[in-house]
Amino acid sequence: MSAASPLLRLQGVTHFYGGGKGRNLLALDGVSLDVGHGDFLSLLGPSGCGKSTLLRLIAGLAAPTGGTIAWPDGKPTPGDIGFVFQEPTLMPWASIADNVRLPLRLTGRKATTGEIASALDLVGLGDFAQAFPRELSGGMKMRAALARALVTQPRLLLLDEPFAALDEITRFRLNEDLMRIWRERQCTVIFVTHSVFEAAFLSQRVAVMSPRPGRIVAEEPIDLPILRVPELRTDPAYSAICRKLSDRLAVAMSEPLMSEVGP
Amino acid sequence: MKALLDRLAPLALGLIGLALWEGLTRLYAVPVYVLPGPLLIAQTLWLDGASLLGSLWITLRITALALLAATLGGVGLAVVMAQSRLIERSLFPYAVIAQVTPVVAIAPLIIIWADNTTLALVICAWIVAFFPIVAATMTGLNAAEKNLRDLFRLYGAGRWQTLRLLRAPAALPYFLTGLRVSGGLSLVGAVVAEFVAGTGGAETGLAFRILESGYRLQIPRLFAALVMLAGAGIAIYMALDLLSRLILRRWHDSALKEPS
Ligand SMILES: Nc1ncnc2c1ncn2[C@@H]1O[C@H](COP(=O)(O)OP(=O)(O)OP(=O)(O)O)[C@@H](O)[C@H]1O
Ligand SMILES: [Mg+2]
């Protein structure tokens, strides 16, 4: 799967928040990570450890305070990255179809109705193209946001806990759909989650992060068949991996917290 | 049932008030040049209605022109100021100065400078009315959710795209709130300007009729003109309120039908 040079290389990425004197908050502390072409990487870590921050830095929405983020094969251009934020982030004044069409409009691509409809069908919102965001449930809004992120056929998908608000059945179904999309489009996925089970089911590799300031304390390759089928959820190999990830996470959580106040 | 009561209650209160007013003026035989009773006012409204309506029309025309100018000028100014912090810092103080200077104080100057009375009146009313639209629209242009702005950046949206597809729609509910306030203020501005201008032109607006009735001690007619003015103000507010509900119907919480 992985080519000679990675898609993305993070080296010693550090990020501070806040500008007030003495009120700096160190969110990320020396994160180094290679993400290969076609990788499916999960970021697993406790709340507030800087997972969303890391995704924003990778997307170029903020510049890291320290360290570098390099794209050996060229920087992504608009439309190369799809981002699902932790909140649905839909435009309340536009229909779901128009929300999904937005990335195509902004990047000046022609959008056919068929494209929008198939993106919505993919997330099971085919009947809601003309609905407005307020008429959708929280989980449905997240699915609309996923359709929007997919519509430009991005090379890199950044997903920030996209399925946290969904019921188990829908989440399992979307997990499998996401697997299929990843396989078919050969894109790269960075997936943020709190759930050990989700991380184990989806990923080729899991990076475990420590509580604030976020550091990567373990990188676990997931030795399961590339194609994940629903039956896997009851497989002993899967359970063993979940247990291992849980242990890693527990170790990460028990490490002493560093001072929250930076220089 | 409860909804009906909600509507009838203010009406009933108003009627009781009017009845008391009528009763007291009769009981104490208050002279009509001090305080006419509501029945007499209604009668005057009926008899002088046609000529007063002509004056109301003139005042309303000035109001409408001022509101139009306030909308165009206010939105334009807000959009220009929203382009950069520096532009905002340089322009905003002058908008505030125009807002806090009492229009009666500058109206005589404007009337001298503008060679056309109607134009002078519109300018005065515009000065009174434009600030709420500027302030509200500016707030709205910066009100879009942070993640949405980031989404636009992620897809490399240009300044114009961001304005048209993100900032303008986000500003719409704020603008409409400003518009409702400015609608009433345009009328106030038009009336104040007419008061200052006196009988400057051949056309006399409602404000001048009020002045004139006062001088001639035709107090019932003064009250009739006041009733008309208040009615016009309420009508303007209700029309703008309806407009904003229609526009925001599908997506904004403020336009939600209230549960009855
Ligand atoms: N805009 C901001 N300004 C200041 N501090 C921030 C900002 N955004 C995040 N932080 C801080 O940075 C730290 C990391 O935040 P981040 O949102 O990246 O965490 P997270 O791992 O995504 O958490 P969660 O799993 O709860 O979403 C937190 O301690 C938070 O308080
Ligand atoms: Mg987060």
Side-chain angles (χ1 to χ4, degrees):
Chain A
M1 230 27 255
S2 58
S5 61
L7 171 71
L8 173 67
R9 167 166 284 164
L10 288 90
Q11 270 174 323
V13 169
T14 300
H15 197 70
F16 276 111
Y17 277 116
K21 287 197 193 92
R23 285 210 60 253
N24 286 337
L25 184 138
L26 184 57
L28 291 172
D29 184 19
V31 172
S32 296
L33 190 67
D34 276 6
V35 183
H37 293 273
D39 216 348
F40 196 124
L41 170 77
S42 285
L43 296 173
L44 184 63
S47 176
C49 75
K51 304 181 295 294
S52 300
T53 305
L54 192 55
L55 286 195
R56 289 175 50 81
L57 296 181
I58 291 172
L61 294 174
T65 321
T68 56
I69 298 178
W71 303 82
D73 293 340
K75 267 196 179 320
T77 56
D80 280 351
I81 297 183
F83 201 141
V84 175
F85 295 93
Q86 203 163 355
E87 299 82 34
T89 316
L90 300 172
M91 300 181 292
W93 53 82
S95 69
I96 296 303
D98 284 340
N99 267 288
V100 172
R101 190 176 289 118
L102 181 75
L104 298 174
R105 280 184 86 172
L106 292 182
T107 53
R109 290 163 215 222
K110 276 275 169 294
T112 63
T113 350
E115 244 176 313
I116 307 297
S118 65
L120 285 172
D121 279 337
L122 197 64
V123 296
L125 287 178
D127 294 339
F128 291 88
Q130 294 316 313
F132 277 67
R134 61 185 286 167
E135 296 157 0
L136 265 54
S137 73
M140 289 161 87
K141 283 184 215 165
M142 266 337 258
R143 285 187 273 151
L146 181 62
R148 178 180 60 190
L150 289 171
V151 81
T152 57
Q153 314 252 352
R155 283 199 293 147
L156 174 62
L157 257 183
L158 304 174
L159 307 177
D160 198 347
E161 302 182 39
F163 307 139
L166 298 178
D167 64 281
E168 198 133 282
I169 306 284
T170 314
R171 187 162 68 229
F172 284 179
R173 220 203 70 223
L174 281 171
N175 277 178
E176 283 143 28
D177 287 342
L178 180 60
M179 281 262 87
R180 210 192 55 238
I181 292 164
W182 170 70
R183 292 287 302 154
E184 280 173 8
R185 299 195 180 171
Q186 312 231 310
C187 56
T188 309
V189 178
I190 303 181
F191 187 91
V192 166
T193 179
H194 287 143
S195 160
V196 166
F197 305 102
E198 203 171 38
F201 184 79
L202 289 171
S203 333
Q204 304 298 308
R205 204 151 57 94
V206 175
V208 181
M209 292 179 73
S210 66
R212 191 177 58 221
R215 274 166 295 127
I216 295 196
V217 291
E219 274 186 64
E220 289 293 332
I222 305 297
D223 282 325
L224 291 171
I226 284 212
L227 203 63
R228 310 291 161 83
V229 287
E231 293 71 44
L232 191 66
R233 294 187 194 275
T234 50
D235 194 305
Y238 173 70
S239 316
I241 285 172
C242 291
R243 203 156 38 241
K244 191 157 90 181
L245 287 178
S246 290
D247 291 345
R248 290 276 187 268
L249 195 58
V251 171
M253 305 271 292
S254 65
E255 280 183 15
L257 261 173
M258 279 176 64
S259 159
E260 286 178 21
V261 177
Chain B
M1 185 58 215
K2 190 165 172 304
L4 196 67
L5 197 67
D6 275 353
R7 273 165 199 251
L8 286 183
L11 210 63
L13 194 69
L15 283 178
I16 292 170
L18 287 177
L20 269 178
W21 178 357
E22 182 72 38
L24 287 176
T25 48
R26 279 172 196 246
L27 186 65
Y28 293 103
V30 182
V32 291
Y33 57 83
V34 175
L35 181 64
L39 285 180
L40 182 58
I41 294 173
Q43 193 189 11
T44 316
L45 202 54
W46 178 252
L47 292 176
D48 293 352
S51 93
L52 284 181
L53 267 182
S55 300
L56 176 68
W57 173 243
I58 290 162
T59 305
L60 281 185
R61 218 179 53 198
I62 290 166
T63 305
L65 285 172
L67 185 59
L68 186 70
T71 306
L72 296 179
V75 170
L77 195 62
V79 168
V80 168
M81 283 199 279
Q83 294 312 306
S84 93
R85 216 63 226 141
L86 185 69
I87 300 179
E88 183 190 330
R89 289 254 170 87
S90 348
L91 280 179
F92 198 69
Y94 297 99
V96 174
I97 289 173
Q99 159 72 9
V100 297
T101 310
V103 74
V104 271
I106 39 176
L109 271 181
I110 292 171
I111 290 165
I112 291 169
W113 287 338
D115 44 22
N116 171 328
T117 318
T118 308
L119 180 65
L121 296 182
V122 170
I123 292 176
C124 291
W126 172 75
I127 290 176
V128 176
F130 89 105
F131 191 74
I133 292 188
V134 176
T137 308
M138 253 175 56
T139 308
L141 286 172
N142 294 318
E145 209 186 315
K146 179 173 181 304
N147 278 346
L148 264 180
R149 277 183 276 152
D150 283 344
L151 190 79
F152 273 67
R153 282 208 289 138
L154 182 73
Y155 290 112
R159 187 180 280 264
W160 167 242
Q161 273 182 322
T162 309
L163 180 65
R164 199 164 54 94
L165 297 176
L166 178 66
R167 303 180 79 184
L172 193 58
Y174 293 82
F175 160 74
L176 289 168
T177 303
L179 185 68
R180 267 179 309 195
V181 178
S182 286
L185 285 181
S186 303
L187 184 63
V188 172
V191 168
V192 170
E194 278 179 16
F195 265 121
V196 178
T199 173
E203 300 179 316
T204 49
L206 207 54
F208 182 71
R209 301 296 294 274
I210 291 175
L211 273 182
E212 181 192 55
S213 310
Y215 291 144
R216 297 186 188 166
L217 281 187
Q218 291 170 327
I219 306 303
R221 178 185 280 187
L222 189 153
F223 268 91
L226 274 183
V227 168
M228 223 171 226
L229 207 54
I234 293 169
I236 289 173
Y237 181 84
M238 282 174 38
L240 294 176
D241 193 54
L242 183 71
L243 179 76
S244 81
R245 270 167 204 280
L246 284 178
I247 293 177
L248 300 180
R249 189 179 38 183
R250 284 224 57 187
W251 64 275
H252 204 260
D253 289 338
S254 71
L256 257 185
K257 280 207 195 75
E258 284 163 45
S260 49

